[in-house]
């Protein structure tokens, strides 16, 4: 799934993305680390993987759109 980086705090490695419908979804340091990134800027297109539904939906992987997702 694709999204746009919205916020990112390099100190905590946490932030949020905006889905294409405008829905914001937060991500934690574990999701950021899983993608192998060192930095993320607002406005970058990213590839994400989510788990859960509704209010329990969360980002578990975030990387640049051009980087592969090791789980396919």
């Amino acid at each position: 799934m694709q999204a746009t980086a919205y916020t990112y705090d390099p100190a905590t490695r946490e932030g949020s993305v905006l889905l294409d419908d405008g829905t914001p979804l937060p991500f934690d340091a574990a999701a950021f680390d899983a993608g192998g990134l060192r930095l993320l800027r607002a406005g970058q297109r990213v590839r994400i993987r989510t788990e859960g539904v509704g209010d329990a939906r969360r980002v578990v992987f975030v990387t640049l759109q051009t980087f592969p997702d090791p789980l396919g």
Side-chain angles (χ1 to χ4, degrees), residues 3 10 17 26 35 39 46 49 52 55-56:
V17 299
L39 183 64
V46 293
R49 191 173 345 114
D55 291 341

Side-chain angles (χ1 to χ4, degrees), residues 14-71:
E14 297 176 341
S16 63
V17 299
L18 290 177
L19 302 181
D20 289 343
D21 68 0
T23 303
L25 280 180
F27 63 84
D28 60 15
F32 182 80
D33 292 344
L37 297 177
R38 294 189 294 193
L39 183 64
L40 193 58
R41 288 177 286 133
Q44 285 182 297
R45 288 296 285 175
V46 293
R47 178 186 317 273
I48 63 170
R49 191 173 345 114
T50 62
E51 290 181 352
V53 294
D55 291 341
R57 188 176 190 190
R58 63 188 186 99
V59 175
V60 296
F61 174 86
V62 60
T63 195
L64 295 181
Q65 181 182 7
T66 56
F67 290 7
D69 181 341
L71 295 183

